[in-house]
Amino acid sequence: MILELADIRIQPGKQAEFDAAITRGIALTIAKAKGYLGHKVQKGVEAPERYVLMVNWATLENHTIDFRESPAFTEWRGIVGPFFASAPQVEHFSLLSASD
């Protein structure tokens, strides 16, 4: 399993609109993608314009090729992109250790 971690900064004062957009965008695009295993979205407390999107993928290629090179990625960016203050920082991680 691969964790995609996207650090997203949005325009000030757009939190309520972005909350709805990211929820809708995930349901319409990411959640239907090949290899999608689940997600979490965290909102900043100290920095209310900061969000962290965590998506679990079966493989790295499910995100980098199957999703990002598909029309669904363009649709995703069309839904959430207008809120971005800057391009999200995206990294991938593999699990080393966990506690439930």
Side-chain angles (χ1 to χ4, degrees):
M1 180 179 72
I2 295 295
L3 171 66
E4 169 201 357
L5 191 143
D7 187 347
I8 301 169
R9 311 293 172 113
I10 66 163
Q11 301 164 28
K14 300 286 187 176
Q15 292 90 339
E17 293 171 75
F18 184 71
D19 291 355
I22 195 168
T23 300
R24 183 170 53 90
I26 291 168
L28 293 175
T29 63
I30 296 174
K32 295 178 181 178
K34 177 182 176 183
Y36 166 84
L37 300 175
H39 74 278
K40 290 182 182 178
V41 179
Q42 302 281 341
K43 295 172 64 166
V45 175
E46 292 82 9
E49 294 87 21
R50 184 176 183 194
Y51 290 73
V52 176
L53 168 62
M54 296 167 282
V55 182
N56 291 314
W57 297 96
T59 69
L60 179 63
E61 293 75 19
N62 287 148
H63 177 233
T64 60
I65 296 170
D66 299 327
F67 179 66
R68 290 197 96 183
E69 293 182 8
S70 76
F73 180 72
T74 303
E75 183 180 1
W76 160 251
R77 276 300 179 100
I79 295 169
V80 297
F83 297 95
F84 294 166
S86 59
Q89 297 297 311
V90 179
E91 295 183 65
H92 299 94
F93 297 86
S94 59
L95 184 63
L96 174 65
S97 176
S99 146
D100 291 337

